[in-house]
Amino acid sequence: MKNIFLIGGTMGVGKTTVCEILKNKLNNCAFLDGDWCWDMHPFQVTDETKQMVLENICFLLNNFIQCSAYENIVFCWVMHEQSIIDTILSRLDTSDCSIHVISLVCGEQALQKRLQKDVDAGVRTKDVIQRSIDRIPLYEKLDSVKVDVSKIDAMQAAELICSIK
């Protein structure tokens, strides 16, 4: 039985960092960040590009699922709507898999502090702060296990996720 971890959260909450740690903590683990399938210039959000990105994500995840070398597959992406999670899961061969849908959540102040560090470092633009804060309430509506990372670091979050399994 393979474990598939779908880890969502708003921008700047720490998804990639937590998943990098999980990749090294879990046995025979593959990691896919949805942003890697969405890394283009210019960045264009259209129906066509959204469809393409979802197809790329599901293609890669299914290849990891079908490969006998991996027993744990970690995927992260913003996934702020249940329909995104449902669409991905509907396109995966999960017949011999245990699915773990997890949302990393945090309070507004903690998120603003994290994102401001990225803005100051030139990694993100200032407009991401409000866009990310606006998405916080969306995660409470999802059918997922919530892991509040407001007062814990990425290693502690990864250990909590490992214990969910």
Side-chain angles (χ1 to χ4, degrees):
M1 174 88 58
K2 293 186 184 230
N3 289 293
I4 300 176
F5 296 86
L6 300 183
I7 300 177
T10 194
M11 296 85 72
V13 77
K15 296 178 300 295
T16 301
T17 304
V18 168
C19 289
E20 288 285 354
I21 294 168
L22 282 172
K23 176 181 70 179
N24 293 311
K25 288 182 80 61
L26 297 169
N27 292 330
N28 303 314
C29 187
F31 167 45
L32 174 65
D33 188 323
D35 288 348
W36 299 337
C37 299
W38 201 228
D39 189 3
M40 55 200 76
H41 183 78
F43 183 72
Q44 300 178 59
V45 180
T46 67
D47 287 341
E48 180 184 19
T49 60
K50 288 192 276 189
Q51 180 67 23
M52 177 203 60
V53 168
L54 275 172
E55 287 176 13
N56 289 344
I57 287 167
C58 294
F59 175 81
L60 290 168
L61 288 174
N62 273 318
N63 279 344
F64 286 133
I65 291 168
Q66 292 166 9
C67 183
S68 64
Y70 304 110
E71 63 185 83
N72 292 289
I73 298 149
V74 174
F75 170 70
C76 71
W77 204 25
V78 172
M79 295 187 287
H80 60 292
E81 297 171 350
Q82 189 65 44
S83 63
I84 296 169
I85 296 165
D86 294 344
T87 298
I88 291 169
L89 287 173
S90 74
R91 296 180 183 184
L92 299 182
D93 176 8
T94 60
S95 55
D96 194 28
C97 299
S98 181
I99 308 297
H100 311 278
V101 181
I102 297 159
S103 296
L104 300 183
V105 297
C106 72
E108 185 176 325
Q109 285 184 326
L111 183 61
Q112 187 165 359
K113 186 176 177 182
R114 290 172 190 224
L115 285 168
Q116 189 61 53
K117 283 183 190 175
D118 287 351
V119 170
D120 293 345
V123 177
R124 298 179 192 262
T125 57
K126 190 168 183 74
D127 66 304
V128 76
I129 296 173
Q130 191 58 52
R131 286 188 296 118
S132 187
I133 288 170
D134 290 345
R135 288 189 176 176
I136 291 173
L138 300 176
Y139 291 91
E140 290 306 318
K141 300 174 185 176
L142 301 179
D143 184 15
S144 64
V145 174
K146 311 305 185 281
V147 174
D148 190 335
V149 296
S150 298
K151 296 178 181 174
I152 62 173
D153 63 24
M155 180 63 75
Q156 292 167 309
E159 288 170 2
L160 276 172
I161 292 168
C162 285
S163 72
I164 291 169
K165 180 176 101 143

